[in-house]
Amino acid sequence: MQEQVSFGDIFNKSFVAMQSGMERFSAIEIIINLGVSFAIGMFIFYVYKKTFQGVLYQRSFNVSLVAIAMVITLVIMTISGNLVLSLGMVGALSIVRFRTPIKDPVDLVFIFWAITIGIANGVSYFSISIIGSIAITIVLLFMTRKPEEEQPYLLVLHVPTRTDSKLVIKEVRAAVKHFILMSPFFLI
């Protein structure tokens, strides 16, 4: 006679099995996974610095990419193979709201790249993270090459008087080929 198995039985058996196997990663595996995430995170750091085309480079954003890769590695190592922990982590992370606006769409690519590296290294899929990083780098280097046309720059000036502003505009006009005066407000 075959025994009936309910959903509760499956859940309880998997929960007990997971609790007995808590030490899924040894200390050396944790160090290796974090080390590979750090190394690839530093690679992402370098690629971001070399391909950055925005107006204002922020080192803190670039440093956060390395940290994101390592933190996600720890998160994935913590929840891998444990249904209860993974559901708890999803619940905990669902309340986190990120309010920092992304100024450049390419920055979003780097954030997802760092997260993906953390996920792959968290389950020790190093070949995915290494080969994927090489492929992404090739695409980014190819797509962000400097075109022949000049890149626009932003010049912000605070001029104390209207007379001084006329002199400054005259100097700017002599120094550059094209410019657009966006906000002609003068402090008096």
Side-chain angles (χ1 to χ4, degrees):
M1 186 164 137
Q2 215 168 9
E3 191 177 322
Q4 291 281 329
V5 180
S6 70
F7 178 75
D9 293 336
I10 294 171
F11 187 76
N12 287 336
K13 287 179 185 176
S14 66
F15 180 73
V16 171
M18 286 184 271
Q19 293 301 321
S20 64
M22 278 304 251
E23 290 296 322
R24 184 168 180 271
F25 293 98
S26 67
I28 195 74
E29 288 173 317
I30 295 168
I31 291 169
I32 290 170
N33 289 6
L34 285 174
V36 172
S37 288
F38 176 76
I40 297 175
M42 289 303 295
F43 180 72
I44 294 170
F45 180 97
Y46 177 76
V47 172
Y48 180 78
K49 194 171 185 179
K50 289 298 178 191
T51 61
F52 180 76
Q53 294 182 330
V55 176
L56 181 64
Y57 169 77
Q58 291 183 335
R59 181 177 164 84
S60 61
F61 175 78
N62 208 355
V63 169
S64 71
L65 294 173
V66 178
I68 286 171
M70 295 179 73
V71 168
I72 296 296
T73 297
L74 287 174
V75 168
I76 296 301
M77 289 174 71
T78 302
I79 66 173
S80 64
N82 191 324
L83 177 64
V84 175
L85 278 177
S86 63
L87 292 175
M89 190 66 75
V90 167
L93 292 177
S94 68
I95 64 171
V96 176
R97 291 177 49 177
F98 300 99
R99 295 179 182 224
T100 304
I102 302 298
K103 293 174 180 68
D104 187 359
V106 177
D107 289 354
L108 199 56
V109 171
F110 281 94
I111 292 171
F112 279 116
W113 184 7
I115 290 170
T116 303
I117 292 308
I119 292 170
N121 291 338
V123 291
S124 302
Y125 289 168
F126 303 126
S127 59
I128 290 174
S129 63
I130 292 169
I131 294 169
S133 292
I134 291 169
I136 291 169
T137 300
I138 291 169
V139 169
L140 286 171
L141 289 174
F142 177 73
M143 299 300 287
T144 60
R145 286 186 309 181
K146 305 281 189 220
E148 297 299 320
E149 64 189 47
E150 293 181 11
Q151 294 292 320
Y153 291 95
L154 176 65
L155 175 64
V156 178
L157 298 172
H158 294 281
V159 183
T161 67
R162 185 177 297 261
T163 307
D164 292 340
S165 67
K166 290 179 182 177
L167 293 172
V168 170
I169 292 172
K170 182 179 176 184
E171 290 294 323
V172 170
R173 199 177 302 269
V176 297
K177 293 178 185 175
H178 305 286
F179 79 95
I180 299 172
L181 183 61
M182 296 298 289
S183 182
F185 294 107
F186 306 104
L187 299 174
I188 298 175

